[in-house]
Amino acid sequence: MSEIAFDSSKSKDILMSANAFHTLKNNLVNNIGSQKTKGFLFRFGKEFGMESAKNTLQNKGSKDLVGKRHSRLGHVKDVIFMGEIIAHPDGTIECNNTWGQWVESFEAALHLNNYGLADECVCHMLCGFASGALTYEFGESIIAIEYKCVAKGDPCCEFKVRLERDWMEEEEELINLYQNDNILSELEMTYDSLLHHKQVLEKISKFHGQLTQKVTEKHSLNEIIETAYDLLNIPILIEDIHGNPLCEIGFNEEQKLSIKKDKVKLAEFNSKHNISQYKGDQYWKLTAPVLINKRNYATCSLFYFGENHIEENDHLFLERISTVVALCILYEEAQFEEQQRMRSSLLERLIHNRNIKDIESYYKFLPFKFQPPFSTGIISVKKKKKNNEIIDIHDQLTQLSMLAKEWDLPCIFAVLGEDIAILNSLSSDKQGWEKKITKIFNKMEKQNSEYKYSIGLSRTFSNFKDFEGSLQEARTAQRFPNQKLLTTYEHLGMLGDIVKHMSVEQLHEMAKKTLKELYNFEDSRKKELLHTLYVYLLNSQRLKETMDELALSIGGIQYRIKQIEDQLQISLKNASTAAYTLLVIQALILSDSLNFEEFER
């Protein structure tokens, strides 16, 4: 059907095309929503129904069936109406099993053509028209409600007719929607909502502007978060990705204690805003990540204790705090990286022996006193479990530099091949330095649980002409396989001097004479026997400890020791012979001529 006619009060038909009706309905849905559109179309149809009934009764002086008006006006092809509506002499109205069907409803056809199958009945205008016409004819509010519809896949559009009061128990919500014609009230509510929304946006804009201004004025993170707390009056906590607090404000001691003890559970996640809501026994928490280049650098959280509750727009303020924290981190990172580049360049010049004479003139740019005595260190970073992933040594250097700054350790770092070199200043307080570096690496291991670290430290020196020798000492100490975090060159004693002052050729010549057949490191069986010998000597020739470390039976260990003694042509029961043999093996390891990595568990 291409046109639909609606009666006016002057007995003229107003024609509206089906497409025009679809445009009207579509605009209504887009502007006031589908739910309110149902009520509007019902009232739209009801008004036409009442006018149509009034016009027909006045002109013809007799009643015309509602169905005839439907079909005459182009709403449907035909109407099947069953049951009857009785007007009793006392003025009461009774609907006696009244129901009907619309044949080829234009509303159902329009919906199928433009939207496809619906999940509910759609002939709201037809319901309104029938309700309006019947209400006018019988002088009491009568409502037609559709319960089958072609638009939702039913074989026909079918409706029931009852007095309004008889519908209330079963369809109160729909009746209220149909009969609620207070448009002015809805407009007032919409205006109030828009006004509130405008005020919230202005508050958020002002909030973001004030925080951003603090960033541009180079205020610290603590000062910026203090400003945010003054504006919101909600406790704020900023944590790094490892859960360490970077900044906090607004908490009392009792609340801090409850945060540490109380385990929170995720209550809701808003994927649109990337906001998580957590519930604990004593508080609620709203959390947003601090993202830089899609990488999570930290988290921002708002906390709600007691009667304080999360407000509808708090996530918008939290997003702004997160953005500003990201700007702070970027700014601090840029400053830190610039300082780190300068520090690394100083150490790299020493490593590569470039322009060492004027290097002292750059000390003034360092944020700490940098003066002798110095010591050099080599930091090795290895994976606990071997895989194909590459260690980001620059990221490790950055983490170390940040922790050194946090612990006020006067040192500079640089990447040296696959390791990290460190140059320490004011190394006279060795005990204090060792305590700090141990704490730093304990934190590093927590942050990087998949890695293991070992540090070799040189003896102290005062003149940079001795730097090259100190670097060699640090490398030698780092290679010493004692499974300790920190090994100093002094710990090596005579072994260190042997490796430092003996050439590689001399060392290998000594090894050939001592190890004899086991000197062939390319032979896997002989190297396995050499490893067994090394572990046996390290454990002071105690069978049980050797057996536990190598996961062999005591008979297996004894058999291997017998083979080793035969090939070396010595008795390991001789203490001086055993000590000398261990010294040779350790010297090979320290000179990087030998390693037992394939046998490590």
Side-chain angles (χ1 to χ4, degrees):
M1 61 192 71
S2 58
E3 292 182 342
I4 307 151
F6 299 102
D7 281 3
S8 75
S9 59
K10 296 183 180 180
S11 302
K12 290 182 179 178
D13 289 345
I14 300 172
L15 297 178
M16 178 186 286
S17 71
N19 285 336
F21 183 85
H22 166 66
T23 301
L24 171 66
K25 180 179 176 180
N26 200 42
N27 277 283
L28 286 169
V29 170
N30 291 334
N31 286 281
I32 67 173
S34 59
Q35 191 70 5
K36 289 183 178 179
T37 297
K38 297 176 194 176
F40 181 91
L41 293 178
F42 179 89
R43 294 189 293 275
F44 179 74
K46 184 178 180 181
E47 187 67 28
F48 277 108
M50 294 183 78
E51 289 295 329
S52 178
K54 179 181 177 181
N55 186 48
T56 300
L57 291 173
Q58 285 178 348
N59 289 341
K60 296 185 178 180
S62 63
K63 293 186 178 181
D64 186 17
L65 291 175
V66 174
K68 295 294 182 183
R69 297 188 202 114
H70 271 316
S71 57
R72 181 171 58 81
L73 294 171
H75 302 166
V76 295
K77 183 177 181 181
D78 193 12
V79 177
I80 300 168
F81 193 82
M82 306 296 290
E84 59 180 339
I85 302 173
I86 303 169
H88 294 288
D90 61 358
T92 59
I93 305 298
E94 180 186 358
C95 294
N96 188 11
N97 194 28
T98 45
W99 62 279
Q101 292 179 352
W102 289 305
V103 180
E104 295 185 16
S105 157
F106 87 96
E107 279 189 276
L110 274 177
H111 193 98
L112 284 171
N113 289 338
N114 292 283
Y115 304 106
L117 277 175
D119 54 7
E120 62 181 354
C121 297
V122 302
C123 302
H124 303 292
M125 202 283 291
L126 292 184
C127 287
F129 185 91
S131 301
L134 292 171
T135 296
Y136 184 85
E137 285 183 13
F138 290 96
E140 186 165 346
S141 181
I142 297 174
I143 304 292
I145 292 182
E146 186 182 30
Y147 62 95
K148 289 183 183 179
C149 186
V150 170
K152 69 182 185 76
D154 295 323
C156 61
C157 292
E158 196 162 297
F159 61 93
K160 292 180 182 179
V161 176
R162 294 181 192 171
L163 295 175
E164 181 183 332
R165 62 174 178 270
D166 294 336
W167 276 119
M168 290 306 288
E169 185 176 348
E170 186 180 334
E171 295 284 357
E172 182 179 1
E173 187 178 345
L174 184 60
I175 296 300
N176 288 336
L177 176 68
Y178 278 171
Q179 299 293 61
N180 180 17
D181 58 356
N182 194 347
I183 299 298
L184 179 60
S185 174
E186 288 188 5
L187 287 174
E188 287 176 350
M189 288 171 63
T190 302
Y191 173 77
D192 290 342
S193 176
L194 288 172
L195 181 62
H196 175 70
H197 187 60
K198 179 176 178 289
Q199 290 170 342
V200 169
L201 287 177
E202 286 176 350
K203 185 179 178 182
I204 292 170
S205 177
K206 182 180 178 182
F207 177 81
H208 190 248
Q210 287 180 310
L211 296 189
T212 307
Q213 185 178 355
K214 292 285 182 182
V215 175
T216 58
E217 291 173 356
K218 299 183 180 179
H219 285 256
S220 69
L221 179 60
N222 285 332
E223 291 172 321
I224 292 167
I225 298 306
E226 187 177 340
T227 301
Y229 176 72
D230 290 341
L231 293 169
L232 293 178
N233 198 29
I234 301 172
I236 303 170
L237 174 64
I238 314 297
E239 297 173 296
D240 65 18
I241 55 173
H242 308 291
N244 302 310
L246 300 175
C247 179
E248 59 184 23
I249 189 169
F251 301 94
N252 59 39
E253 291 304 317
E254 185 181 346
Q255 290 169 346
K256 290 179 183 178
L257 192 62
S258 70
I259 291 172
K260 287 182 180 178
K261 289 185 175 180
D262 196 358
K263 291 184 179 180
V264 294
K265 294 181 179 178
L266 181 65
E268 183 182 336
F269 176 69
N270 185 332
S271 57
K272 181 179 179 182
H273 297 281
N274 205 10
I275 301 286
S276 301
Q277 192 176 124
Y278 295 90
K279 184 183 185 306
D281 292 334
Q282 300 179 40
Y283 64 90
W284 284 82
K285 180 172 75 167
L286 204 62
T287 299
V290 178
L291 299 174
I292 302 173
N293 292 329
K294 298 181 179 180
R295 180 183 170 190
N296 192 1
Y297 273 67
T299 58
C300 296
S301 300
L302 299 178
F303 284 78
Y304 303 82
F305 297 89
E307 296 181 357
N308 295 326
H309 300 290
I310 299 172
E311 299 291 337
E312 181 184 359
N313 296 302
D314 282 356
H315 69 278
L316 299 174
F317 292 100
L318 184 59
E319 282 181 317
R320 269 62 184 180
I321 295 173
S322 173
T323 302
V324 169
V325 170
L327 290 173
C328 284
I329 291 174
L330 275 174
Y331 175 69
E332 289 180 2
E333 200 173 70
Q335 273 192 319
F336 181 82
E337 285 179 357
E338 184 59 37
Q339 291 177 0
Q340 184 55 44
R341 275 195 293 272
M342 188 268 290
R343 296 180 199 184
S344 293
S345 68
L346 291 177
L347 186 48
E348 285 167 2
R349 283 167 62 180
L350 286 171
I351 292 170
H352 300 293
N353 199 22
R354 295 198 305 260
N355 303 323
I356 293 178
K357 289 182 181 179
D358 63 341
I359 199 169
E360 292 183 12
S361 62
Y362 289 89
Y363 289 174
K364 61 185 177 182
F365 296 112
L366 296 172
F368 47 77
K369 284 185 179 180
F370 199 73
Q371 60 190 48
F374 302 107
S375 64
T376 306
I378 293 292
I379 300 165
S380 172
V381 187
K382 301 289 184 186
K383 292 177 185 174
K384 289 180 180 177
K385 293 182 180 178
K386 293 182 179 179
N387 55 44
N388 294 326
E389 292 180 9
I390 298 172
I391 296 173
D392 188 344
I393 203 70
H394 288 277
D395 177 63
Q396 292 290 302
L397 183 144
T398 300
Q399 290 186 51
L400 276 171
S401 301
M402 287 181 172
L403 289 171
K405 180 183 177 184
E406 183 182 327
W407 284 92
D408 195 27
L409 200 68
C411 59
I412 56 178
F413 299 91
V415 172
L416 181 59
E418 296 181 355
D419 298 321
I420 297 171
I422 176 174
L423 180 62
N424 307 296
S425 170
L426 302 166
S427 294
S428 53
D429 181 14
K430 287 186 180 180
Q431 263 191 328
W433 188 90
E434 287 183 18
K435 280 183 181 178
K436 284 185 179 181
I437 204 73
T438 301
K439 287 179 179 178
I440 285 173
F441 275 92
N442 285 340
K443 202 163 186 179
M444 282 291 288
E445 286 176 349
K446 284 182 181 178
Q447 294 177 183
N448 306 276
S449 57
E450 70 276 25
Y451 296 152
K452 58 182 178 181
Y453 301 90
S454 60
I455 312 163
L457 191 66
S458 74
R459 293 177 294 189
T460 57
F461 62 96
S462 296
N463 195 315
F464 283 132
K465 67 179 183 179
D466 299 320
F467 174 79
E468 189 175 352
S470 76
L471 196 62
Q472 185 183 346
E473 289 178 359
R475 174 71 73 191
T476 301
Q478 186 276 319
R479 285 180 182 146
F480 190 63
N482 59 359
Q483 306 302 316
K484 290 183 179 180
L485 170 66
L486 177 64
T487 303
T488 65
Y489 188 77
E490 286 95 333
H491 290 159
L492 303 181
M494 180 179 66
L495 182 61
D497 288 330
I498 289 173
V499 175
K500 185 174 181 180
H501 298 295
M502 185 179 285
S503 69
V504 175
E505 291 78 11
Q506 288 173 319
L507 180 59
H508 279 266
E509 191 61 35
M510 181 175 69
K512 281 180 188 178
K513 291 177 181 177
T514 306
L515 300 179
K516 296 183 174 63
E517 293 296 322
L518 297 186
Y519 179 74
N520 185 359
F521 307 148
E522 300 300 319
D523 187 317
S524 59
R525 176 57 185 163
K526 289 180 179 179
K527 191 174 182 181
E528 186 178 37
L529 286 175
L530 184 60
H531 178 246
T532 301
L533 171 61
Y534 175 59
V535 174
Y536 181 62
L537 294 174
L538 276 181
N539 285 297
S540 302
Q541 304 182 54
R542 291 190 291 267
L543 290 173
K544 186 179 184 310
E545 285 81 352
T546 308
M547 178 180 69
D548 291 341
E549 189 168 339
L550 296 177
L552 291 171
S553 66
I554 194 163
I557 297 293
Q558 289 172 331
Y559 174 73
R560 285 192 182 185
I561 296 302
K562 182 69 172 65
Q563 282 186 303
I564 291 166
E565 288 182 327
D566 288 345
Q567 295 203 29
L568 296 186
Q569 300 171 13
I570 61 170
S571 171
L572 293 174
K573 291 178 182 178
N574 186 309
S576 60
T577 302
Y580 182 75
T581 305
L582 177 60
L583 185 73
V584 170
I585 296 172
Q586 288 178 325
L588 288 169
I589 293 171
L590 292 179
S591 67
D592 205 23
S593 302
L594 173 65
N595 68 72
F596 295 118
E597 286 183 1
E598 65 264 42
F599 303 111
E600 292 176 0
R601 290 189 294 168

